[in-house]
Amino acid sequence: MPARLSDLAPNETPIFLPRLLSQRPKLAALLAETISTWSYAEHALGRSVAAMSRGINSAEMEDYIADWRLPKRLKILRRIAGAELQDPHLSLFLKVLRIIEKLAKRRHVFAHGVWGTVEALPDALLLIDAEHLFRHWGAANDFLAVFSQGGPPAVSPVHLDNRHIEVWAETEFKDEIAHMNQAVEFAFALELLASVDTFDVSNARRTQAYNWLLQQPLVSSAP
């Protein structure tokens, strides 16, 4: 897990500008890999939809394709699975889908957060949730408006709260890439779970995917 800037450099002022990423190309490449790896999981989940297309109408299929919001897509996927799969495949499919959803939430922060740097930590990038940054600038603008109008004294939110800023070095990025790759593996296993091979009455690949998923620690330990 990444450390907080407040723990490593509490008195430093971070800078959040896009050009700063090019100054740390190795870390920027790891950041891009972390974000982009998730697209393969999205692809596999879409292939699961196609494999179970008998349980979806054409309008819903178009809705799945057009709406990139993950919660909406997962809602559609769960409904299709409920219509097309039976236990024990259905319960395992839904269980693994919850794990993938949890892994994807971190990727969402990566893709929509704001990245920056601080001189005191040359081998790291900083990540702050965009919502927190918005609230900071909103508070700063409110303070300036009150101050310019001769209003009552207030505490100026000049500095960001470093407790909300994560520090990402090479180790943290590689750990997160491993998590995204795990999401991809799970998603491709779900595709096999959703696919019935009409040319193989034993459904060997489906059985293999089912057994593989049961052996994964994240799956076996999940409620």
Side-chain angles (χ1 to χ4, degrees):
M1 289 295 294
R4 300 286 171 171
L5 186 58
S6 56
D7 296 327
L8 300 183
N11 299 318
E12 296 293 327
T13 301
I15 302 173
F16 294 95
L17 291 172
R19 61 177 172 79
L20 297 175
L21 290 176
S22 64
Q23 297 176 8
R24 299 180 183 178
K26 184 177 181 179
L27 293 175
L30 291 173
L31 166 59
E33 183 178 352
T34 306
I35 294 173
S36 62
T37 299
W38 169 252
S39 63
Y40 295 95
E42 284 269 17
H43 171 66
L45 293 177
R47 288 168 62 98
S48 293
V49 171
M52 299 184 292
S53 58
R54 290 173 300 175
I56 188 171
N57 58 55
S58 58
E60 200 169 29
M61 174 66 84
E62 288 299 319
D63 197 18
Y64 183 92
I65 294 172
D67 196 329
W68 282 88
R69 292 175 298 174
L70 184 62
K72 180 66 174 292
R73 285 188 160 188
L74 292 181
K75 182 178 180 180
I76 294 174
L77 187 50
R78 288 188 176 102
R79 194 200 69 75
I80 300 169
E84 289 296 303
L85 301 179
Q86 295 180 347
D87 281 332
H89 296 98
L90 174 60
S91 58
L92 183 59
F93 188 97
L94 296 177
K95 182 178 185 179
V96 175
L97 203 59
R98 290 193 295 270
I99 296 172
I100 293 175
E101 183 178 20
K102 185 176 180 179
L103 291 171
K105 287 181 180 178
R106 189 69 207 175
R107 182 267 177 193
H108 178 81
V109 175
F110 264 71
H112 300 285
V114 182
W115 291 89
T117 61
V118 66
E119 289 187 9
L121 302 172
D123 297 322
L125 291 175
L126 307 179
L127 174 62
I128 186 170
D129 188 285
E131 180 180 343
H132 181 75
L133 200 58
F134 295 155
R135 293 183 185 280
H136 164 76
W137 288 117
N141 287 333
D142 288 344
F143 168 81
L144 290 174
V146 172
F147 181 81
S148 65
Q149 295 171 10
V155 178
S156 174
V158 173
H159 299 290
L160 285 167
D161 187 343
N162 287 350
R163 292 174 298 178
H164 294 278
I165 300 173
E166 295 179 349
V167 179
W168 285 81
E170 183 176 348
T171 298
E172 286 73 33
F173 279 115
K174 288 185 175 180
D175 286 345
E176 199 58 36
I177 289 170
H179 291 157
M180 289 299 98
N181 280 323
Q182 192 163 42
V184 172
E185 291 178 345
F186 285 166
F188 276 107
L190 287 190
E191 179 194 349
L192 293 176
L193 212 60
S195 305
V196 177
D197 190 346
T198 55
F199 298 100
D200 181 6
V201 293
S202 68
N203 274 303
R205 294 179 67 196
R206 191 187 199 197
T207 300
Q208 184 180 11
Y210 179 85
N211 291 333
W212 179 83
L213 284 169
L214 289 178
Q215 295 169 6
Q216 302 311 302
L218 271 182
V219 177
S220 61
S221 62

